[in-house]
Structure formats: C-alpha cells, structure tokens
C-alpha cells in the first residue's frame, strides 16, 4: 500500500501524543472506534476560559492513516473555539492526507473524535 | 552485510534456489522441445527431462511417478482435485467437508461446488488450530464424497493430523484431498503410509519457480477425477496443455534439493525461529497463535496485543512480513484463520506472521528482534488500549462505539 508523504510524516513523527487528566479543568475527552474494527482514537482538548482550544493530545490504536488523521486534528483544533472545531470535516482531513478510498473511515473517525471530545467538554461545562 | 528489507515471508513465496535456476535455463533456449513431440530428438529430450522431474517430485513424497500430474500450481491442483473428484463421484453423493482455516483456493472451490448444488460443511478448528477428529467423524454423511484438509496451515504453520484423517476417510469410503503447498520440504510426507487420495503441491513455496505445481492422484486404490481443463489430452487426459518444460525441470530440482537437505535445513530453521521467539519472550501481552509443538519450524505467528497489525508492518518496513490483519486489502477484516481459533478481533488485528527460510541468517533475526521491540514500545506509547490496560481497565467491559 502506498502512503502519502503527509501520512508518513505524521506516522513517523506524531504530534501531540499523550493525554491530560480527565478531570482537569477545561478538558474534554473523546474516545471513538472499537478494537474489533481495528481503530480506537482517544482525543483530548484543553479549553481556555475564553472558549478557545489551547492544547490537544491524542492516542490512537489503528493503521498509519488512523494515526496520521488523529495527529493532524490535534494540530488543527488548536487555536479554534470549540464550535469552530466542530466545523472540521472528514473530507478536509482526507484531502490534506491524500487518503485512498479504503482509508476514508480513518478521517471519519477523526471527525467523530473531535465531536466526542467537544461533547464531553460541553457536558462538563454547561453548569 | 544486511540486505533490506529483510525477507521473512517465506510462506508467501520463496526465492528460486540458484541451483534450481541454473538447471532450468538450458530448457528455455537450447532444449526447447515440446515434450509431446514424439517424432524427433527435441521432443524426446524434453520428455526425458519432464519424466526425471516427475520422478523427483514423486520421490519427495514416496509416491509412484505415474501418480503425479503437472498443473500450474497448488491453486489449480486444489481446483482439479476437489471439483474433479466431486464431479466424478456426484452419483454417490453431493456433500463436501473442509476446514474454516483452509486456504482460499480450497474454500472458494468448495463455495463454487455449493453454487453448483453441492452441500458443504466447513468445520471449526480447535483453539490450537488443529482439526477436531470427532467433529470430522460426526460430519461425514453417507453422501459425503470429498474431504479436503490442508497439511500445513499457511498462516499459523500448524500440522494437521493427516494420518488419522486418512484412516477415517478410507474407512468411510470418502475421497481425501490434502493441500500440501506449505508442507513440502518442511514435514516428512510418505504417501505409501498416508491414506491420502489426492495431494496438491506447489513449486514456489519450496525454492522452485512460480507457475508450476502438481497433483498426486492415487492409483491403488484408484481415484478418479473429471478433468477441468480440456485439450490435447496431456497428463493422461487429466490436465491438457503443453507442459512447461523449464518450470517442470525447476520443480523437480527444487523437490530433489528439498528431499536431500530437508533434515539439516529444518534443524537450522528451527533454531532461528526459536531465537526469534525467545527475543519476544519477556515482553508483555505477546501471544503465539496456533499450536506451538505441532507446527513447522519455519513459522512464528504472533500477536502483539494493543498494537494494530498494519501500523506495525508500516513501522517495521525494513522487514518483509505478513500481517494477519487483511487491512492491507480492502476488506478491513482481521484474519479469518485467527478468528477461527477463537482469537478476539483485537488480537487477530495485531498479528504478524514471520516465516523463515533457507537464506535467513542469525544476523537478520537479531536485527528483527531489536527493531520489533523498539517499534512495539513506540506504538504502545501511542495506543489508548495499552494505556487503559496499564490503568487496570478490562477492555472487554468497555462499551465500544463500533463503526
């Protein structure tokens, strides 16, 4: 299988690997996928008082495209408000990484991870 | 000096042994005759070479050369054996039995028979990958005509109890076919003792060329087949088509070398395989797939839990291996063989098949161990599953959002 250079770059040098404490102030955690499907992504965002995402971390079990997709979105969400982050679409991720059709599900999963992390953040911070 | 990528995929195919290639070359330009030409020396010398090769193939498995039919490879042999026997004996019944862990060349052939109106039973294997003999006995019906069970599994390298299965089939009067593509040169095959009726061989798994194989068809007691390829009546009408003399010569030489060198080679390969396995022994959450004892020395199929197979293969691109996960194809399905062992999907996704062979060196094994260990550590650092397990979470209790 031929991977694009961008996938290889993110795969070899993944950005923002790691995590925050789930109970830390301003942290939203999204975990999507299933081991049975061969992909699990954990994406965490750390949101400042102004509603802007200050930092993001990920861990991914999955193929190179899944790792690259989640690494990429940690870069993209930083500096965005949580609502702007929700505008990131899987098609943009797939385009940026030049994912082949069989790997589109990796970009969909990364979009789902953002949604899950934002939903978790909002749930914790509505009151 | 190491040559990259290091080839540890000998179960996919093997390089042609240089001694084999050398023997083949004169049959391309010089001795190019058609073995079926009876009227001149070109034909006679080609025919002689073909018959010598036939004798070599027969000698490796202790059969009569008259029982060996040339084909294009094990896939064709499997097709000819299973469809040929099922069609010939369909008056007796229309039921076929095979294993869930067979190669696709057998499974898809049986599927085709189903499409033609046959009935098929796909037997489960035990957790160690071996056939359950009681389940086989129970599955044989009065209308069963063919049982097809492989000698050595291509993914996990386990050796099926062919002798015992042969006894069962002979007693019940069922034709027994064995796909031995992965067995030649790795396990002793004695067709005077084994009650096998049909056996498929491939040259390229045993240091011969691709595109040539053979089918053993027992003469005593005689097994009948309906030809699947029609034409000039070559191979006693069972497989028409001009014989590929150079390929056949190559297969003969490859099987001769296998016969002469098998004992020493298997011992050397076993030591390398054990060295590789020992290299991973102290790692956490590493599992060998398939029975450890009843297995060819060439194979190590191993799951590194919490690491996904395709990303691991990508990480170890200096080593040419196969992943049990078929993610590399479009199916995104984990290996059907590992699933048949009852491995959960997560472990099935995380498996690597190392297959060692004639030209593998100790240095290559040591490099592979070191590379694997470093990359597994890195990927586990990246893995949320590994993190959860370290935190004491039982992954089976987690509600996953399947996608």
């Amino acid at each position: 299988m031929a991977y694009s250079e961008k996938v290889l770059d993110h795969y070899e040098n993944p950005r923002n690997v790691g995590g925050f404490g789930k109970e830390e102030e301003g942290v939203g955690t999204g975990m999507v996928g299933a081991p049975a499907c061969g992909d699990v992504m954990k994406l965490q965002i750390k949101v400042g008082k102004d509603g802007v995402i200050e930092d993001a971390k990920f861990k991914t079990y999955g193929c190179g495209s899944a790792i690259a997709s989640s690494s990429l979105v940690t870069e993209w969400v930083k500096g965005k408000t949580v609502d702007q982050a929700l505008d990131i679409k899987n098609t943009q991720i797939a385009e940026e990484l030049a994912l082949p059709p069989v790997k589109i599900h990796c970009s969909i999963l990364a979009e789902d991870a953002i949604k899950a992390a934002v939903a978790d953040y909002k749930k914790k911070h509505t009151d | 000096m190491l040559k990259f990528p290091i080839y540890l995929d000998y179960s996919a195919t093997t390089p042609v042994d240089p001694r084999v290639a050398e023997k083949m070359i004169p049959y391309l330009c010089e001795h190019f005759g058609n073995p079926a030409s009876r009227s001149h020396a070109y034909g006679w010398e080609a025919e002689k070479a073909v018959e010598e090769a036939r004798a070599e193939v027969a000698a490796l498995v202790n059969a009569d050369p008259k029982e060996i039919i040339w084909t294009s490879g094990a896939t064709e042999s499997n097709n000819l054996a299973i469809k040929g026997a099922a069609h010939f004996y369909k008056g007796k019944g229309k039921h076929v039995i095979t294993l869930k862990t067979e190669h696709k060349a057998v499974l898809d052939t049986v599927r085709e028979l189903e499409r033609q109106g046959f009935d098929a039973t796909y037997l489960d294997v035990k957790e160690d990958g071996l056939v359950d003999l009681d389940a086989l006995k129970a599955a044989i019906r009065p209308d069963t005509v063919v049982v097809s069970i492989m000698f050595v599994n291509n993914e996990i390298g386990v050796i099926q109890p062919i002798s015992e299965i042969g006894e069962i089939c002979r007693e019940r009067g069922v034709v027994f076919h064995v796909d031995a593509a992965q067995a030649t040169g790795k396990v002793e095959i004695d067709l005077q003792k084994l009650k096998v009726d049909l056996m498929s061989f491939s040259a390229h798994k045993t240091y011969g060329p691709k595109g040539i194989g053979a089918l053993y068809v027992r003469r005593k007691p005689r097994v009948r087949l309906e030809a699947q390829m029609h034409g000039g009546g070559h191979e006693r009408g069972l497989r028409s088509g001009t014989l590929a003399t150079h390929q056949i010569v190559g297969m003969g030489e490859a099987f001769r070398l296998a016969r002469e060198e098998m004992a020493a080679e298997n011992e050397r390969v076993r030591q390398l395989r054990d060295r590789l396995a020992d290299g991973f022994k102290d790692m956490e959450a590493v599992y060998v797939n398939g029975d450890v004892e009843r297995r060819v020395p060439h194979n190590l199929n191993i799951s590194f839990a919490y690491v996904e197979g395709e990303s691991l293969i990508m990480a170890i691109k200096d080593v040419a291996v196969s992943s049990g996960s078929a993610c590399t194809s479009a199916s995104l399905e984990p290996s059907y063989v590992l699933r048949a062992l009852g491995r959960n999907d997560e472990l099935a996704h995380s498996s690597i098949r190392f297959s060692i062979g004639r030209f593998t060196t100790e240095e290559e094994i040591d490099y592979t161990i070191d590379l694997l260990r470093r990359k597994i550590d890195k990927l586990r650092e990246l893995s949320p599953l590994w993190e959860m397990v370290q935190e004491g979470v039982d992954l089976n209790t987690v509600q996953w959002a399947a996608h």
Side-chain angles (χ1 to χ4, degrees), chain A residues 3 26 33 37 40 43 46-47 50 59 65-66 69 77 82 88 92 96 103 115-116 120 127:
Chain A
Y3 285 102
C37 309
V40 176
L43 176 70
K46 194 173 188 179
V47 185
D50 53 0
K59 282 200 178 188
S65 302
S69 298
V77 297
V82 289
I88 296 173
Q92 296 167 295
E96 172 70 15
K103 294 297 181 188
K115 286 182 181 146
D120 183 59
D127 15 82

Side-chain angles (χ1 to χ4, degrees), chain A residues 1 3-4 7-8 10-15 17-19 22 31-42 44 58-65 67 102-103 105 109 112, chain B residues 305-317 327-332 334 339 345-347 349-350 378-385 387-388 391 395 400-403:
Chain A
M1 77 225 94
Y3 285 102
S4 70
V7 168
L8 287 172
H10 276 280
Y11 174 74
E12 311 234 338
N13 311 293
R15 330 287 203 261
V17 176
K22 279 185 184 158
M31 176 96 82
V32 294
C37 309
D39 304 285
V40 176
M41 284 183 192
K42 187 184 90 165
Q44 291 188 300
F58 87 97
K59 282 200 178 188
T60 290
Y61 163 88
C63 65
S65 302
I67 290 170
V102 43
K103 294 297 181 188
H105 71 281
L109 203 60
D112 290 348
Chain B
Y306 320 118
V307 170
E308 194 272 332
E310 190 183 330
S311 65
L312 181 56
I313 286 208
M314 204 170 154
I316 55 166
K317 55 182 186 299
C327 253
T328 43
S329 71
S331 70
L332 302 172
R339 281 172 91 138
D345 288 336
E346 201 273 306
L347 282 176
H349 269 299
S350 307
K378 187 188 162 200
L379 286 168
R380 281 184 172 167
E381 269 317 299
L382 259 174
S383 168
L385 304 181
E387 182 182 72
M388 290 163 83
E391 288 167 356
L395 296 181
W400 301 102
H403 57 286

Side-chain angles (χ1 to χ4, degrees), chain B residues 170-208:
Chain B
R170 185 62 55 84
E171 194 194 310
R172 306 284 293 269
V174 178
V175 171
F176 179 31
H177 166 251
V178 174
D179 175 0
Q182 297 281 351
T184 46
K186 300 189 175 88
V187 292
E188 289 271 355
I189 303 174
D190 184 346
L191 287 167
Q192 300 298 325
K193 289 197 185 123
L194 297 173
K195 293 196 169 70
V196 171
D197 300 303
L198 300 159
M199 189 177 272
S200 301
F201 305 111
S202 161
H204 79 99
K205 309 283 192 191
T206 309
Y207 309 95

Side-chain angles (χ1 to χ4, degrees), chain B residues 244-302:
Chain B
T245 314
H246 62 297
Q247 305 284 82
I248 288 169
V249 165
M251 182 163 179
E253 181 66 358
F255 276 41
R256 185 184 71 80
L257 293 171
R259 177 166 52 85
E260 287 183 355
E261 299 176 1
M262 193 166 120
E265 182 167 296
N266 281 347
E267 197 37 48
R268 198 185 73 84
V269 165
R270 181 187 307 281
Q271 282 173 20
L272 291 173
R273 195 267 314 271
D274 291 348
R275 188 182 182 92
L276 182 64
D278 283 347
F280 305 130
K281 222 180 195 163
D282 60 324
M283 293 175 78
E284 274 181 79
V286 174
Y287 307 93
V288 174
N289 297 307
D291 190 90
V292 180
E293 297 301 321
R294 288 193 54 92
R295 163 194 293 263
V296 288
H298 305 66
N299 173 291
L300 183 66
N301 188 308
I302 194 162

